[in-house]
Amino acid sequence: MTDALPPRGCQAAEPAEDSYFRKGCNPLAETGRSKLQNQRAVLNQQILRAVRMRAGAENLLRATTNNKVREQVLLELSFVNSDLQILKEELEGLNISVEVYQNTEETFSIPLVPLGLKETKEVDFTLPLKDFILEHYSEDSSEYEDEIADLMDLRQACRTPSRDEAGIEMLISYFLQLGYVENRFFPPTRHMGILFTWYDSFTGVPVCQQNLLLEKASILFNIGALYTQIGTRCNRQTQNGLENAVDAFQRAAGVLNYLKETFTHTPSYDMSPAMLNVLVKLMLAQAQECAFEQMSLPGIRNEFFTLVKMTQEASKVGEVYMMVNTAMTQEPVKENIPYSWSKLVQIKSDHYKALAHYFVATILCDHELQSSDDEDQQEKALSQLYDYMPEGLMALTVLKDKVQRKQLGKAHLRKAVVYHEEALRVCGLCKKLRNIDVLQEVLTAAHKRSLLKYAQQEKEDDFLSLIQTPDILPKTEHKVETITPQFSKVKVKDFFHRLGPLSVFSAKQRWTAPRTIRFHCEAGELGFSLKGGSPVQIYCLDPACSAASMGLKEGDYIVSVGGVDCKWLGVNEVLEKFRSVGEQPIEFEVISCQDTTASMHSKSATYSVGMQKTYSLICLAMEEDKIDQTKKAPLKLPFLSWGTKNRQKAASTLCLPSAVAGSSQTKKKLSPFALLNTESSLY
């Protein structure tokens, strides 16, 4: 997945009418991000080979009883596991390459964390969809080759989205198009034989399924990831750039949260509820950080109430990062969160807590209560900074007593220095973070500033000052929240619009092959009425009319008149076509809906959490639907377990395809967005 941005300083060319690439996609762009994503793709292939080798070695170890063979296999397994660990560390290195995604302008800000895009393999829809069109819709599938090609082109373009709104719109359009495709071509009773493969963004482990919901969930993840990359690329030295960054991270959090709530049993670890919960918190924390930078960009005036406000804002940023750090260190996500990410989050928490204590110290050391000051307002503002005051101190007394002000101010400075030193220490523990120059510069400059401030207040009797520094209460006037994705704002047209209205012509509906009805009007009367929208339906059929004798039935749908497709025509348009025939025989085609009450299994699945980086599908709860006791129950559909029990014991990391069956449902009007607002599962 490459970037489609031109080199900095060059204007992006307007897309020509006959441009080969879609808007929002340019796979030929050579940028740092595209090269990084290409390295991710290569690592994914290497991890796949190593996983296959490990799975084969595990199978051989279970099958053999020869001690020498077992020793050789165990040695091979040790080598493969070591190789996998090295590959995982290399992938972690790509995930922490945050400097590639940052704005290239000169900046003095701590880098932000973006998400890498999930990689996928190519998918060929041609044969499965053409076969389904011929079999299910009884139409010439060769007439839909262009539509199938458009679908495949759009999917291919989504592998290389540009890092802008055009790229986001393209991914959303494909996600919405999948809603149409699912309802058109993916019946609940069987698989289409299309295998979707996506690689885990953190571990590189592939997940393979014949379920379209894996495709939809992965596209949603990439939409959220692309928003994070847009946010990190914003120029944080301008108000407009910071506003865009806050908006991008809030939208990223909204998409990831929507993914967590809608697709609840994803087989890929990077899309598990626990991991998505951490990522949502991380994106909101980065949005809060950008909001703080937006307030401090014009400069922070050395004024009492301004410093009180900035103190609470900095404390709020430190608090949200502390919560993210806590979430990152919990099971089961801590094994797969990049080590550098958790350390960077810890550094930011300490850094902003230090800033909060520095601002309070500035208030106490630089501002004395004057006769012209509002004493009550300053007392109220100072008391709101703390949950409790240090023992023996009162807010008003501190404001009036110069000695107490200095002592409490120095206590806050000492606390600020401690936090700064802890941030520098943690930064030094991580090799990746040590190599980020701007991070070292920001932390060092803040540390020196606090030391200088403390040196200006230092006296010989400082050892007598033993005031315990109180914690600062966080508060913000710019609360950030998730922005729920508005998919309806992106208008897309169903590629397979010609198949007919989706409410009737869907994969869940079954009907007879088209029948040709040829008859003459009797005394200007058709012998039946028409009702409904598109397509129109036969209503009030006279059993004695000539059309009924030719096989017309009550409730039939008219699909063509005189060889002209009329699936999308209303009652008036169809009647007009009947009238245009004149006295000639009327010839039209109809279809009859069939009952769709096939017995299907309920299903569910999970992944094994007992072993690290294991994604075993466990098929559960197969039960028959209720059927008429007088009829013989249909045979159960075959379920592809692929050695589930053995794979649990061996902890194989390769997800194999599993069959999916859904419970029979009553006929209802369908919508291509039916799955967007309901909780669904990938199984």
Side-chain angles (χ1 to χ4, degrees):
M1 296 185 178
T2 54
D3 201 344
L5 292 173
R8 195 139 188 107
C10 300
Q11 297 296 322
E14 292 295 327
E17 292 296 327
D18 57 348
S19 176
Y20 182 79
F21 300 118
R22 287 180 177 270
K23 181 181 180 182
C25 162
N26 184 0
L28 301 181
E30 289 293 334
T31 65
R33 188 180 77 110
S34 66
K35 294 175 182 177
L36 202 66
Q37 202 66 38
N38 289 336
Q39 293 176 30
R40 181 186 295 274
V42 172
L43 275 178
N44 286 337
Q45 294 299 323
Q46 294 175 346
I47 290 174
L48 176 58
R49 286 195 294 269
V51 164
R52 287 174 174 171
M53 289 180 63
R54 186 168 76 174
E58 289 170 347
N59 291 335
L60 180 58
L61 188 63
R62 288 194 300 269
T64 186
T65 57
N66 189 302
N67 290 333
K68 289 187 177 180
V69 173
R70 291 181 64 86
E71 289 179 4
Q72 293 178 350
V73 172
L74 288 172
L75 182 61
E76 181 67 21
L77 269 177
S78 176
F79 170 77
V80 171
N81 286 328
S82 298
D83 191 31
L84 274 173
Q85 185 62 32
I86 293 173
L87 292 173
K88 180 192 173 185
E89 291 175 0
E90 291 183 20
L91 189 60
E92 179 182 329
L94 296 185
N95 285 329
I96 195 54
S97 299
V98 294
E99 67 278 359
V100 176
Y101 297 91
Q102 310 300 313
N103 187 274
T104 55
E105 297 288 347
E106 288 294 329
T107 181
F108 196 69
S109 303
I110 299 179
L112 300 170
V113 176
L115 297 179
L117 301 179
K118 289 173 69 70
E119 286 285 342
T120 182
K121 287 185 176 180
E122 292 186 7
V123 173
D124 190 352
F125 291 101
T126 307
L127 288 178
L129 296 193
K130 289 180 70 174
D131 289 346
F132 194 82
I133 290 173
L134 179 62
E135 170 200 342
H136 189 78
Y137 293 99
S138 301
E139 295 201 24
D140 185 359
S141 58
S142 62
E143 296 181 358
Y144 290 89
E145 290 180 352
D146 290 342
E147 286 83 351
I148 296 174
D150 287 341
L151 177 64
M152 293 176 62
D153 287 345
L154 179 57
R155 187 185 191 275
Q156 183 67 18
C158 287
R159 299 178 67 186
T160 57
S162 58
R163 192 167 33 155
D164 51 25
E165 287 300 325
I168 294 290
E169 185 174 337
M170 183 182 65
L171 289 175
I172 293 178
S173 66
Y174 179 60
F175 175 75
L176 297 179
Q177 199 66 237
L178 289 175
Y180 290 113
V181 171
E182 182 175 24
N183 286 325
R184 294 278 191 196
F185 300 106
F186 286 78
T189 55
R190 66 184 177 95
H191 281 306
M192 286 293 294
I194 302 174
L195 188 65
F196 300 100
T197 301
W198 287 86
Y199 293 90
D200 191 291
S201 180
F202 296 110
T203 66
V205 175
V207 176
C208 308
Q209 280 197 350
Q210 296 187 51
N211 197 330
L212 191 66
L213 293 182
L214 172 62
E215 181 90 345
K216 296 175 72 174
S218 299
I219 290 296
L220 275 179
F221 184 92
N222 278 357
I223 293 173
L226 198 57
Y227 269 127
T228 68
Q229 296 180 10
I230 292 174
T232 56
R233 187 177 181 270
C234 292
N235 187 354
R236 291 156 66 191
Q237 303 304 309
T238 65
Q239 285 287 349
N240 187 54
L242 286 168
E243 286 179 9
N244 293 336
V246 172
D247 181 73
F249 285 117
Q250 285 179 297
R251 292 184 184 277
V255 172
L256 295 174
N257 189 62
Y258 177 83
L259 172 59
K260 180 187 70 172
E261 294 178 349
T262 308
F263 300 89
T264 55
H265 294 87
T266 50
S268 182
Y269 199 88
D270 55 357
M271 297 189 293
S272 65
M275 181 63 77
L276 289 174
N277 185 55
V278 171
L279 295 181
V280 169
K281 290 182 178 180
L282 175 60
M283 298 312 141
L284 289 178
Q286 295 191 134
Q288 192 73 57
E289 179 183 5
C290 291
F292 173 81
E293 291 180 352
Q294 190 177 357
M295 288 181 283
S296 59
L297 183 64
I300 302 174
R301 292 188 301 117
N302 193 355
E303 188 267 333
F304 187 92
F305 294 104
T306 300
L307 289 173
V308 168
K309 176 182 175 181
M310 297 307 296
T311 296
Q312 293 180 313
E313 294 287 350
S315 180
K316 180 64 177 180
V317 179
E319 181 195 46
V320 293
Y321 271 119
M322 182 182 66
M323 294 172 62
V324 175
N325 183 52
T326 301
M328 284 183 171
T329 56
Q330 301 298 316
E331 293 287 357
V333 299
K334 70 176 184 179
E335 296 297 332
N336 289 293
I337 284 286
Y339 175 76
S340 307
W341 284 18
S342 61
K343 291 305 173 186
L344 182 59
V345 166
Q346 184 179 347
I347 288 169
K348 289 190 176 187
S349 176
D350 291 335
H351 174 71
Y352 283 101
K353 287 179 181 178
L355 287 183
H357 284 283
Y358 176 81
F359 290 145
V360 178
T362 304
I363 293 173
L364 296 172
C365 296
D366 294 358
H367 295 273
E368 294 184 6
L369 188 62
Q370 304 295 331
S371 58
S372 59
D373 293 336
D374 190 330
E375 183 178 296
D376 293 337
Q377 288 295 328
Q378 287 199 9
E379 179 189 7
K380 180 180 178 181
L382 184 63
S383 61
Q384 288 178 347
L385 288 177
Y386 308 113
D387 189 16
Y388 63 90
M389 290 291 292
E391 186 177 355
L393 297 182
M394 301 291 291
L396 184 59
T397 306
V398 169
L399 289 173
K400 291 182 176 181
D401 191 323
K402 183 176 180 180
V403 175
Q404 288 188 4
R405 286 172 66 101
K406 295 292 184 182
Q407 289 180 345
L408 185 57
K410 285 189 289 185
H412 279 289
L413 282 175
R414 285 194 295 271
K415 193 73 170 180
V417 171
V418 168
Y419 276 126
H420 283 310
E421 291 177 348
E422 178 63 14
L424 286 168
R425 184 190 71 81
V426 174
C427 185
L429 293 176
C430 181
K431 180 180 178 181
K432 298 291 183 181
L433 297 180
R434 287 201 304 267
N435 295 331
I436 301 178
D437 294 336
V438 67
L439 176 61
Q440 293 282 354
E441 292 173 4
V442 171
L443 297 180
T444 303
H447 182 222
K448 289 182 178 178
R449 182 177 57 187
S450 295
L451 286 175
L452 179 61
K453 189 78 172 177
Y454 186 80
Q456 293 172 352
Q457 309 300 324
E458 191 174 11
K459 293 183 179 179
E460 294 182 359
D461 59 348
D462 270 351
F463 65 92
L464 297 176
S465 178
L466 300 176
I467 296 179
Q468 184 178 3
T469 310
D471 293 329
I472 300 171
L473 292 178
K475 182 181 178 182
T476 180
E477 296 179 0
H478 301 270
K479 185 179 180 180
V480 297
E481 297 177 338
T482 60
I483 298 179
T484 304
Q486 300 293 327
F487 297 120
S488 59
K489 291 185 177 181
V490 178
K491 304 300 180 183
V492 297
K493 181 181 179 181
D494 182 8
F495 283 154
F496 300 92
H497 176 84
R498 291 192 291 132
L499 288 174
L502 194 58
S503 58
V504 176
F505 299 95
S506 70
K508 293 182 180 180
Q509 301 278 11
R510 295 197 63 84
W511 50 83
T512 61
R515 308 188 311 276
T516 301
I517 307 296
R518 182 185 177 89
F519 74 104
H520 284 274
C521 288
E522 300 172 356
E525 295 293 333
L526 293 174
F528 57 84
S529 300
L530 301 178
K531 71 171 185 177
S534 303
V536 297
Q537 208 170 1
I538 302 299
Y539 176 64
C540 293
L541 175 66
D542 183 359
C545 70
S546 59
S549 64
M550 295 298 296
L552 188 64
K553 299 177 182 178
E554 181 86 12
D556 282 352
Y557 291 99
I558 299 178
V559 294
S560 70
V561 177
V564 178
D565 187 276
C566 62
K567 298 187 189 77
W568 287 95
L569 299 184
V571 173
N572 293 333
E573 290 88 349
V574 173
L575 288 176
E576 184 62 32
K577 286 190 175 293
F578 283 161
R579 295 191 193 100
S580 65
V581 175
E583 305 207 356
Q584 299 293 326
I586 298 176
E587 183 176 302
F588 60 97
E589 289 186 338
V590 297
I591 59 173
S592 301
C593 280
Q594 295 178 332
D595 188 20
T596 55
T597 56
S599 175
M600 291 168 283
H601 301 300
S602 63
K603 70 285 175 189
S604 64
T606 184
Y607 57 84
S608 172
V609 296
M611 299 188 181
Q612 297 179 8
K613 295 172 285 301
T614 298
Y615 306 84
S616 302
L617 303 182
I618 304 174
C619 304
L620 302 173
M622 296 175 56
E623 62 179 25
E624 296 284 343
D625 290 333
K626 292 183 178 179
I627 60 174
D628 192 334
Q629 296 299 327
T630 62
K631 298 181 181 179
K632 183 179 179 180
L635 294 176
K636 292 185 178 180
L637 297 176
F639 224 89
L640 300 181
S641 63
W642 293 52
T644 305
K645 293 182 180 179
N646 290 336
R647 290 169 64 248
Q648 272 187 283
K649 296 177 181 178
S652 174
T653 56
L654 178 60
C655 280
L656 298 175
S658 62
V660 178
S663 300
S664 60
Q665 299 176 354
T666 57
K667 190 189 307 180
K668 61 181 181 179
K669 187 172 182 180
L670 297 175
S671 165
F673 313 111
L675 289 175
L676 297 185
N677 298 317
T678 59
E679 186 174 352
S680 54
S681 167
L682 284 177
Y683 301 95

